[in-house]
C-alpha cells in the first residue's frame, strides 16, 4: 500500500463528500413538481363540487 500525504487524503475525502451531495437537485425538483401538480389536482377536485348545474 502506498503512502498518501495527509493533505492529499483530506482533499480526496472532501471531493468524495461533495460529489455525493450533487444528486439532491433532482430529488428537490421532483418533490416540487409533484407538490405543484398535487395542489392543482386537489384544488380542481375541491372546486368542482361547487359547480352549479341550474
Amino acid at each position: 500500500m502506498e503512502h498518501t500525504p495527509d493533505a492529499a487524503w483530506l482533499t480526496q475525502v472532501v471531493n468524495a463528500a461533495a460529489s455525493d451531495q450533487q444528486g439532491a437537485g433532482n430529488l428537490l425538483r421532483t418533490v416540487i413538481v409533484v407538490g405543484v401538480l398535487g395542489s392543482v389536482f386537489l384544488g380542481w377536485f375541491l372546486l368542482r363540487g361547487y359547480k352549479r348545474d341550474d
Side-chain angles (χ1 to χ4, degrees):
M1 179 166 32
E2 71 181 52
H3 175 71
T4 306
D6 291 339
W9 179 81
L10 183 61
T11 303
Q12 289 175 354
V13 169
V14 170
N15 287 340
S19 67
D20 290 343
Q21 296 175 358
Q22 291 179 356
N26 289 335
L27 177 64
L28 184 60
R29 186 177 301 125
T30 303
V31 168
I32 290 172
V33 168
V34 169
V36 168
L37 291 177
S39 298
V40 169
F41 178 73
L42 181 63
W44 170 79
F45 183 75
L46 292 176
L47 290 175
R48 74 183 184 123
Y50 292 111
K51 186 172 77 170
R52 296 179 183 226
D53 292 328
D54 291 341

